[in-house]
Amino acid sequence: MSRMNSFSSSPSTLILGVPMIAIAALLPIFVSDSYTMHSLTMILYFAYMATAWNFVCGYVGQLSLGHAVFSGMAGYVTVLLFTMFGISPWLGMLAGGGFAALLSLAIGYPTFKLKGPYFTLTTIAFAEIVRIWFENTDDFLGIPLKGAQGLVVPPSELGGLAYQFEGKMPYYYIALVMLVLVLLATIALERSRLGYYLKAIRGDQNGAEALGVNPTRCSLIALAASAFMTGLGGAFYAQFFRYINPERNMSIEFSLDVALMAIVGGQGTVLGPMLGALVLHPIAEFSRTYLGGTFLGLHLVIYGVILIIAVLYFPKGIIAPIDRWLRKRIAQGGAKK
């Protein structure tokens, strides 16, 4: 038990996390059709994005509904570096992530010092302003943004070196590796001094500040890390679809999807956002595919119902009852010994 606690505060992290990743690694062996592989890749992608969102919103307690701007901007940077200068997206995604991190500092520095919901309102407003500007701008300082039309990633003879692969499987494994890395980063955050500071800030910011913790500095570090990882996800998305535009990559709907996955799964935990993506994305995909033509917007109604149920019966996310059951079983096993 002590060994498990030293690994993570949640028993599900080790007991469920390792088998789930192992199953995900073996799953493509049994999948042959492209559509299913595409859907599985998107589940991993959203699990990654929800976990990156959780870095600041789950541990700091500041609700961001504008993370799409970090994803979209990093995606644009990656595509433009490739189309204009021939820089490989493998390097461009790092530049895009760095740009997203700098952008997050510009947003967070003035708003983290304010009380109340100002950070949330600022993220929504900023993301929408950027999206509208991109949709109405064809060219900026010689940079072809092409407005609402968006940018197409041209095919390259370099193949994998240019982040372009035949079939969906390579992208699936890239998304899986990214998810594993962000999960390990979350575990490292939980065990670090910064992680304890962030939990203290979320619990009682004034009390943490009285003990010598700098809330603004710690929150900005978490926000920059979250934006950087979100930017990497945005770059992956652009390369996976080989296309990027403001409506798809910077919409508030995207930000809401990611936030809801983390909240329903259990924000402030390692596996919660991943479980939220595993539950919500297939539901959204099913409703869009089979009900979208007849009942437009029904998936948003379904999301609302799921959120109401989660708030009423699982206020700490669906990971909470799983953790309680696992702790009970571990305690019973220890008592028998």
Side-chain angles (χ1 to χ4, degrees), residues 131-161:
R131 180 187 64 81
I132 292 171
W133 183 80
F134 266 79
E135 285 184 342
N136 293 277
T137 304
D138 290 326
D139 184 273
F140 177 70
L141 299 178
I143 301 174
L145 300 178
K146 297 187 179 180
Q149 177 184 348
L151 303 175
V152 176
V153 179
S156 173
E157 297 179 355
L158 297 177
L161 294 177

mmCIF file of all heavy atoms in Angstrom, residues 131-161:
data_model
loop_
_atom_site.group_PDB
_atom_site.id
_atom_site.type_symbol
_atom_site.label_atom_id
_atom_site.label_comp_id
_atom_site.label_asym_id
_atom_site.label_seq_id
_atom_site.Cartn_x
_atom_site.Cartn_y
_atom_site.Cartn_z
ATOM 1 N N ARG A 131 -10.085 33.709 -33.005
ATOM 2 C CA ARG A 131 -10.766 32.909 -34.028
ATOM 3 C C ARG A 131 -11.415 33.801 -35.088
ATOM 4 O O ARG A 131 -11.262 33.562 -36.295
ATOM 5 C CB ARG A 131 -11.827 32.021 -33.380
ATOM 6 C CG ARG A 131 -12.594 31.150 -34.383
ATOM 7 C CD ARG A 131 -13.740 30.408 -33.722
ATOM 8 N NE ARG A 131 -14.753 31.309 -33.202
ATOM 9 C CZ ARG A 131 -15.704 31.878 -33.930
ATOM 10 N NH1 ARG A 131 -15.773 31.646 -35.247
ATOM 11 N NH2 ARG A 131 -16.594 32.683 -33.381
ATOM 12 N N ILE A 132 -12.129 34.818 -34.653
ATOM 13 C CA ILE A 132 -12.805 35.724 -35.597
ATOM 14 C C ILE A 132 -11.783 36.455 -36.458
ATOM 15 O O ILE A 132 -11.972 36.652 -37.667
ATOM 16 C CB ILE A 132 -13.689 36.716 -34.825
ATOM 17 C CG1 ILE A 132 -14.860 35.971 -34.167
ATOM 18 C CG2 ILE A 132 -14.215 37.806 -35.751
ATOM 19 C CD1 ILE A 132 -15.656 36.823 -33.212
ATOM 20 N N TRP A 133 -10.658 36.867 -35.842
ATOM 21 C CA TRP A 133 -9.615 37.556 -36.598
ATOM 22 C C TRP A 133 -9.028 36.640 -37.668
ATOM 23 O O TRP A 133 -8.829 37.057 -38.818
ATOM 24 C CB TRP A 133 -8.524 38.041 -35.663
ATOM 25 C CG TRP A 133 -7.446 38.817 -36.357
ATOM 26 C CD1 TRP A 133 -7.480 40.124 -36.731
ATOM 27 C CD2 TRP A 133 -6.164 38.311 -36.783
ATOM 28 N NE1 TRP A 133 -6.300 40.468 -37.361
ATOM 29 C CE2 TRP A 133 -5.482 39.381 -37.400
ATOM 30 C CE3 TRP A 133 -5.538 37.080 -36.688
ATOM 31 C CZ2 TRP A 133 -4.205 39.236 -37.925
ATOM 32 C CZ3 TRP A 133 -4.260 36.935 -37.221
ATOM 33 C CH2 TRP A 133 -3.607 38.009 -37.821
ATOM 34 N N PHE A 134 -8.763 35.400 -37.318
ATOM 35 C CA PHE A 134 -8.215 34.453 -38.292
ATOM 36 C C PHE A 134 -9.214 34.190 -39.412
ATOM 37 O O PHE A 134 -8.820 34.068 -40.582
ATOM 38 C CB PHE A 134 -7.846 33.132 -37.597
ATOM 39 C CG PHE A 134 -6.409 33.051 -37.177
ATOM 40 C CD1 PHE A 134 -5.973 33.677 -36.025
ATOM 41 C CD2 PHE A 134 -5.490 32.360 -37.937
ATOM 42 C CE1 PHE A 134 -4.651 33.608 -35.630
ATOM 43 C CE2 PHE A 134 -4.157 32.272 -37.560
ATOM 44 C CZ PHE A 134 -3.735 32.912 -36.405
ATOM 45 N N GLU A 135 -10.500 34.087 -39.079
ATOM 46 C CA GLU A 135 -11.508 33.811 -40.098
ATOM 47 C C GLU A 135 -11.648 34.947 -41.109
ATOM 48 O O GLU A 135 -12.067 34.715 -42.254
ATOM 49 C CB GLU A 135 -12.869 33.560 -39.441
ATOM 50 C CG GLU A 135 -13.000 32.202 -38.782
ATOM 51 C CD GLU A 135 -14.382 31.947 -38.236
ATOM 52 O OE1 GLU A 135 -15.144 32.932 -38.066
ATOM 53 O OE2 GLU A 135 -14.707 30.782 -37.979
ATOM 54 N N ASN A 136 -11.270 36.140 -40.713
ATOM 55 C CA ASN A 136 -11.445 37.308 -41.579
ATOM 56 C C ASN A 136 -10.127 37.889 -42.080
ATOM 57 O O ASN A 136 -10.095 39.011 -42.577
ATOM 58 C CB ASN A 136 -12.227 38.389 -40.830
ATOM 59 C CG ASN A 136 -13.660 37.989 -40.543
ATOM 60 O OD1 ASN A 136 -14.539 38.120 -41.384
ATOM 61 N ND2 ASN A 136 -13.895 37.478 -39.334
ATOM 62 N N THR A 137 -9.049 37.141 -41.963
ATOM 63 C CA THR A 137 -7.740 37.624 -42.395
ATOM 64 C C THR A 137 -7.151 36.657 -43.416
ATOM 65 O O THR A 137 -6.853 35.501 -43.087
ATOM 66 C CB THR A 137 -6.775 37.763 -41.192
ATOM 67 O OG1 THR A 137 -7.362 38.628 -40.213
ATOM 68 C CG2 THR A 137 -5.445 38.331 -41.648
ATOM 69 N N ASP A 138 -6.974 37.128 -44.635
ATOM 70 C CA ASP A 138 -6.380 36.292 -45.680
ATOM 71 C C ASP A 138 -4.859 36.357 -45.668
ATOM 72 O O ASP A 138 -4.187 35.368 -45.991
ATOM 73 C CB ASP A 138 -6.893 36.726 -47.054
ATOM 74 C CG ASP A 138 -8.355 36.384 -47.255
ATOM 75 O OD1 ASP A 138 -8.795 35.350 -46.728
ATOM 76 O OD2 ASP A 138 -9.065 37.163 -47.921
ATOM 77 N N ASP A 139 -4.329 37.518 -45.319
ATOM 78 C CA ASP A 139 -2.877 37.697 -45.346
ATOM 79 C C ASP A 139 -2.484 38.651 -44.231
ATOM 80 O O ASP A 139 -3.118 39.691 -44.034
ATOM 81 C CB ASP A 139 -2.432 38.248 -46.702
ATOM 82 C CG ASP A 139 -0.927 38.357 -46.814
ATOM 83 O OD1 ASP A 139 -0.379 39.395 -46.396
ATOM 84 O OD2 ASP A 139 -0.309 37.408 -47.308
ATOM 85 N N PHE A 140 -1.428 38.295 -43.489
ATOM 86 C CA PHE A 140 -0.948 39.148 -42.410
ATOM 87 C C PHE A 140 0.567 39.249 -42.487
ATOM 88 O O PHE A 140 1.284 38.252 -42.304
ATOM 89 C CB PHE A 140 -1.371 38.582 -41.047
ATOM 90 C CG PHE A 140 -0.850 39.369 -39.868
ATOM 91 C CD1 PHE A 140 -1.352 40.633 -39.594
ATOM 92 C CD2 PHE A 140 0.147 38.838 -39.052
ATOM 93 C CE1 PHE A 140 -0.866 41.359 -38.512
ATOM 94 C CE2 PHE A 140 0.636 39.564 -37.973
ATOM 95 C CZ PHE A 140 0.128 40.821 -37.692
ATOM 96 N N LEU A 141 1.056 40.454 -42.817
ATOM 97 C CA LEU A 141 2.499 40.708 -42.946
ATOM 98 C C LEU A 141 3.160 39.709 -43.892
ATOM 99 O O LEU A 141 4.273 39.224 -43.648
ATOM 100 C CB LEU A 141 3.170 40.646 -41.564
ATOM 101 C CG LEU A 141 2.675 41.668 -40.520
ATOM 102 C CD1 LEU A 141 3.407 41.450 -39.197
ATOM 103 C CD2 LEU A 141 2.915 43.086 -41.021
ATOM 104 N N GLY A 142 2.461 39.387 -44.959
ATOM 105 C CA GLY A 142 3.009 38.452 -45.937
ATOM 106 C C GLY A 142 2.804 36.989 -45.590
ATOM 107 O O GLY A 142 3.227 36.106 -46.357
ATOM 108 N N ILE A 143 2.149 36.718 -44.464
ATOM 109 C CA ILE A 143 1.892 35.334 -44.044
ATOM 110 C C ILE A 143 0.504 34.934 -44.543
ATOM 111 O O ILE A 143 -0.492 35.544 -44.152
ATOM 112 C CB ILE A 143 1.955 35.192 -42.513
ATOM 113 C CG1 ILE A 143 3.325 35.626 -41.999
ATOM 114 C CG2 ILE A 143 1.658 33.756 -42.094
ATOM 115 C CD1 ILE A 143 3.422 35.664 -40.492
ATOM 116 N N PRO A 144 0.393 33.935 -45.394
ATOM 117 C CA PRO A 144 -0.916 33.551 -45.956
ATOM 118 C C PRO A 144 -1.737 32.728 -44.960
ATOM 119 O O PRO A 144 -1.493 31.534 -44.783
ATOM 120 C CB PRO A 144 -0.533 32.717 -47.182
ATOM 121 C CG PRO A 144 0.800 32.121 -46.820
ATOM 122 C CD PRO A 144 1.496 33.125 -45.954
ATOM 123 N N LEU A 145 -2.703 33.370 -44.330
ATOM 124 C CA LEU A 145 -3.572 32.669 -43.380
ATOM 125 C C LEU A 145 -4.824 32.103 -44.055
ATOM 126 O O LEU A 145 -5.434 31.172 -43.549
ATOM 127 C CB LEU A 145 -3.981 33.617 -42.242
ATOM 128 C CG LEU A 145 -2.831 34.203 -41.414
ATOM 129 C CD1 LEU A 145 -3.374 35.156 -40.357
ATOM 130 C CD2 LEU A 145 -2.010 33.096 -40.770
ATOM 131 N N LYS A 146 -5.229 32.737 -45.175
ATOM 132 C CA LYS A 146 -6.343 32.272 -46.005
ATOM 133 C C LYS A 146 -7.684 32.249 -45.281
ATOM 134 O O LYS A 146 -8.576 31.488 -45.647
ATOM 135 C CB LYS A 146 -6.032 30.896 -46.595
ATOM 136 C CG LYS A 146 -4.832 30.897 -47.523
ATOM 137 C CD LYS A 146 -4.641 29.581 -48.209
ATOM 138 C CE LYS A 146 -3.443 29.636 -49.161
ATOM 139 N NZ LYS A 146 -3.221 28.350 -49.863
ATOM 140 N N GLY A 147 -7.827 33.047 -44.265
ATOM 141 C CA GLY A 147 -9.118 33.269 -43.627
ATOM 142 C C GLY A 147 -9.837 32.010 -43.205
ATOM 143 O O GLY A 147 -9.234 31.047 -42.705
ATOM 144 N N ALA A 148 -11.170 32.011 -43.436
ATOM 145 C CA ALA A 148 -11.996 30.872 -43.036
ATOM 146 C C ALA A 148 -11.672 29.622 -43.840
ATOM 147 O O ALA A 148 -11.976 28.504 -43.411
ATOM 148 C CB ALA A 148 -13.468 31.222 -43.194
ATOM 149 N N GLN A 149 -11.054 29.791 -44.999
ATOM 150 C CA GLN A 149 -10.697 28.650 -45.840
ATOM 151 C C GLN A 149 -9.683 27.745 -45.149
ATOM 152 O O GLN A 149 -9.744 26.525 -45.265
ATOM 153 C CB GLN A 149 -10.142 29.145 -47.174
ATOM 154 C CG GLN A 149 -9.673 28.037 -48.102
ATOM 155 C CD GLN A 149 -9.051 28.586 -49.369
ATOM 156 O OE1 GLN A 149 -9.154 29.777 -49.663
ATOM 157 N NE2 GLN A 149 -8.391 27.727 -50.123
ATOM 158 N N GLY A 150 -8.752 28.345 -44.428
ATOM 159 C CA GLY A 150 -7.755 27.561 -43.723
ATOM 160 C C GLY A 150 -6.587 27.143 -44.590
ATOM 161 O O GLY A 150 -6.488 27.523 -45.772
ATOM 162 N N LEU A 151 -5.703 26.343 -44.020
ATOM 163 C CA LEU A 151 -4.477 25.920 -44.693
ATOM 164 C C LEU A 151 -4.480 24.412 -44.902
ATOM 165 O O LEU A 151 -4.907 23.654 -44.038
ATOM 166 C CB LEU A 151 -3.246 26.305 -43.864
ATOM 167 C CG LEU A 151 -3.086 27.789 -43.519
ATOM 168 C CD1 LEU A 151 -1.883 27.968 -42.593
ATOM 169 C CD2 LEU A 151 -2.913 28.625 -44.779
ATOM 170 N N VAL A 152 -3.975 24.009 -46.058
ATOM 171 C CA VAL A 152 -3.836 22.587 -46.382
ATOM 172 C C VAL A 152 -2.365 22.201 -46.267
ATOM 173 O O VAL A 152 -1.491 22.935 -46.737
ATOM 174 C CB VAL A 152 -4.355 22.288 -47.796
ATOM 175 C CG1 VAL A 152 -4.115 20.824 -48.156
ATOM 176 C CG2 VAL A 152 -5.841 22.618 -47.898
ATOM 177 N N VAL A 153 -2.096 21.070 -45.624
ATOM 178 C CA VAL A 153 -0.730 20.574 -45.528
ATOM 179 C C VAL A 153 -0.404 19.838 -46.828
ATOM 180 O O VAL A 153 -1.037 18.813 -47.132
ATOM 181 C CB VAL A 153 -0.560 19.623 -44.326
ATOM 182 C CG1 VAL A 153 0.871 19.100 -44.268
ATOM 183 C CG2 VAL A 153 -0.937 20.328 -43.036
ATOM 184 N N PRO A 154 0.545 20.320 -47.606
ATOM 185 C CA PRO A 154 0.839 19.675 -48.893
ATOM 186 C C PRO A 154 1.539 18.335 -48.688
ATOM 187 O O PRO A 154 2.266 18.136 -47.707
ATOM 188 C CB PRO A 154 1.763 20.689 -49.584
ATOM 189 C CG PRO A 154 2.430 21.408 -48.451
ATOM 190 C CD PRO A 154 1.406 21.490 -47.362
ATOM 191 N N PRO A 155 1.331 17.396 -49.597
ATOM 192 C CA PRO A 155 2.037 16.103 -49.485
ATOM 193 C C PRO A 155 3.533 16.288 -49.662
ATOM 194 O O PRO A 155 3.984 17.190 -50.377
ATOM 195 C CB PRO A 155 1.428 15.271 -50.620
ATOM 196 C CG PRO A 155 0.887 16.270 -51.587
ATOM 197 C CD PRO A 155 0.447 17.450 -50.774
ATOM 198 N N SER A 156 4.295 15.426 -49.008
ATOM 199 C CA SER A 156 5.751 15.525 -49.058
ATOM 200 C C SER A 156 6.357 14.163 -49.375
ATOM 201 O O SER A 156 5.850 13.123 -48.923
ATOM 202 C CB SER A 156 6.297 16.039 -47.718
ATOM 203 O OG SER A 156 7.706 15.990 -47.693
ATOM 204 N N GLU A 157 7.432 14.188 -50.146
ATOM 205 C CA GLU A 157 8.133 12.949 -50.473
ATOM 206 C C GLU A 157 8.908 12.408 -49.277
ATOM 207 O O GLU A 157 9.350 11.252 -49.286
ATOM 208 C CB GLU A 157 9.091 13.184 -51.638
ATOM 209 C CG GLU A 157 8.402 13.576 -52.941
ATOM 210 C CD GLU A 157 9.384 13.819 -54.070
ATOM 211 O OE1 GLU A 157 10.605 13.767 -53.796
ATOM 212 O OE2 GLU A 157 8.937 14.044 -55.219
ATOM 213 N N LEU A 158 9.070 13.215 -48.228
ATOM 214 C CA LEU A 158 9.826 12.778 -47.057
ATOM 215 C C LEU A 158 9.052 11.801 -46.181
ATOM 216 O O LEU A 158 9.627 11.147 -45.316
ATOM 217 C CB LEU A 158 10.244 13.996 -46.223
ATOM 218 C CG LEU A 158 11.185 14.981 -46.912
ATOM 219 C CD1 LEU A 158 11.450 16.179 -46.009
ATOM 220 C CD2 LEU A 158 12.498 14.291 -47.267
ATOM 221 N N GLY A 159 7.750 11.720 -46.377
ATOM 222 C CA GLY A 159 6.951 10.745 -45.644
ATOM 223 C C GLY A 159 6.971 10.976 -44.146
ATOM 224 O O GLY A 159 6.609 12.045 -43.652
ATOM 225 N N GLY A 160 7.441 9.975 -43.419
ATOM 226 C CA GLY A 160 7.455 10.048 -41.961
ATOM 227 C C GLY A 160 8.277 11.188 -41.416
ATOM 228 O O GLY A 160 7.961 11.742 -40.352
ATOM 229 N N LEU A 161 9.347 11.570 -42.110
ATOM 230 C CA LEU A 161 10.169 12.698 -41.665
ATOM 231 C C LEU A 161 9.382 14.003 -41.716
ATOM 232 O O LEU A 161 9.712 14.958 -41.011
ATOM 233 C CB LEU A 161 11.430 12.808 -42.518
ATOM 234 C CG LEU A 161 12.436 11.657 -42.389
ATOM 235 C CD1 LEU A 161 13.601 11.854 -43.356
ATOM 236 C CD2 LEU A 161 12.952 11.547 -40.953
#
